Amino acid sequence: MAIVIAVLLLALILGGAGFAVHVLWYIALAILVLWLLGFVFRGAGTAGGPRSRWYRW
């Protein structure tokens, strides 16, 4: 019985980790799209100014 519980617990942990990694890929893609949109819109709005960089810091 302990082996069955250990196998089920291992499957639950590995399944949860796989789901978390899958969700993290979607979050990374969303951040990449927002970064690219910010790069395009900021570059078009302040062309030639002293702070016309693609980053904000």
Side-chain angles (χ1 to χ4, degrees):
M1 188 68 179
I3 294 174
V4 173
I5 292 174
V7 169
L8 288 175
L9 185 61
L10 184 63
L12 183 65
I13 290 171
L14 292 177
F19 178 74
V21 169
H22 189 74
V23 169
L24 287 175
W25 272 111
Y26 282 124
I27 292 171
L29 285 175
I31 290 172
L32 176 66
V33 168
L34 289 175
W35 179 77
L36 288 174
L37 286 174
F39 175 72
V40 169
F41 289 128
R42 180 157 171 93
T46 60
R51 293 182 49 93
S52 62
R53 298 187 185 115
W54 59 271
Y55 54 88
R56 294 188 182 266
W57 61 85

